């Protein structure tokens, strides 16, 4: 979450971290409402880490279609 978001209060949005399905609520410093556009250098490594953590390796993937 961008800590400089002018429309969404960071204090209110921290509540998202309380949901069971949320693994980590990340606050990005000096970033506004669209972190993926404003700071891809901060967002992309988080996305890559998430995908890597949750992707199945080819050896474990199901071969059924």
């Amino acid at each position: 979450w961008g800590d400089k978001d002018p429309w969404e209060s960071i204090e209110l949005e921290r509540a998202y971290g309380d949901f069971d399905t949320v693994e980590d609520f990340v606050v990005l410093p000096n970033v506004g409402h669209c972190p993926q556009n404003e700071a891809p250098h901060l967002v992309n490594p988080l996305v890559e880490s998430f995908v890597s953590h949750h992707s199945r390796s080819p050896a474990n993937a199901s071969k059924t279609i």
Side-chain angles (χ1 to χ4, degrees):
W1 209 272
D3 71 348
K4 302 295 184 206
D5 189 328
W7 298 289
E8 304 290 337
S9 165
I10 192 75
E11 292 79 22
L12 294 175
E13 304 315 323
R14 285 187 191 279
Y16 285 123
D18 295 334
F19 287 98
D20 290 339
T21 56
V22 176
E23 293 178 20
D24 195 14
F25 184 83
V26 178
V27 177
L28 300 173
N30 300 312
V31 180
H33 189 71
C34 296
Q36 71 279 8
N37 294 335
E38 297 172 39
H41 64 285
L42 297 176
V43 175
N44 289 349
L46 296 170
V47 173
E48 290 171 354
S49 175
F50 178 87
V51 170
S52 176
H53 178 75
H54 292 283
S55 64
R56 296 186 294 177
S57 68
N60 296 331
S62 172
K63 296 187 188 246
T64 59
I65 298 177

